[in-house]
Amino acid sequence: MKQSPTGLQYTILKKGHGPKAKSGQQIMLFETTSYRTGQVLYSNENTTTPVKVLIGGKQATKAVDEALVGMREGEIKKIVAPPYLVKRTGYPPNVHPDSTLVIKMILHKIL
């Protein structure tokens, strides 16, 4: 795994194609979020409905926004995000606010 200056760890599981995603662009994303133990907290990976995200638009956590920049369509990236990069105002009942999260992201489409 590589590590960014913010402490985000990541690895590219599959390379994508086409232009790189940039801050300010909308993308369609499949995602699976889990604890380091492998316990899945959220996933839309096995659905036909990706989530639309504006990169840098505060719609996702800092970790997801950071990891999306530079990804290409079809790329699969696994990130390990420390708690300070996944902080949010509201937490689903199954997510502890001080958790390190593992997120598998599939950039489906850049809009």
Side-chain angles (χ1 to χ4, degrees):
M1 283 206 147
K2 296 178 182 177
Q3 185 165 321
S4 77
T6 64
L8 179 73
Q9 295 179 333
Y10 65 94
T11 189
I12 296 172
L13 302 175
K14 179 183 172 194
K15 292 187 178 201
H17 58 277
K20 293 180 178 182
K22 303 175 202 164
S23 187
Q25 288 182 314
Q26 285 192 329
I27 57 95
M28 302 300 285
L29 174 72
F30 290 103
E31 172 184 344
T32 297
T33 301
S34 59
Y35 288 131
R36 285 182 166 181
T37 63
Q39 178 187 348
V40 175
L41 302 166
Y42 166 82
S43 182
N44 71 338
E45 195 174 335
N46 294 319
T47 71
T48 57
T49 311
V51 174
K52 185 188 280 188
V53 175
L54 174 64
I55 301 173
K58 298 186 180 182
Q59 294 177 336
T61 63
K62 288 180 183 179
V64 170
D65 270 346
E66 179 182 335
L68 285 170
V69 172
M71 286 183 72
R72 302 173 192 265
E73 288 185 3
E75 187 168 314
I76 302 173
K77 187 182 272 187
K78 179 180 170 183
I79 65 172
V80 178
Y84 58 88
L85 290 178
V86 289
K87 289 281 185 205
R88 55 187 89 181
T89 53
Y91 286 85
N94 64 332
V95 180
H96 190 277
D98 294 321
S99 299
T100 295
L101 298 179
V102 178
I103 304 169
K104 178 183 172 188
M105 304 184 317
I106 303 167
L107 199 156
H108 177 66
K109 186 170 184 91
I110 298 173
L111 302 175

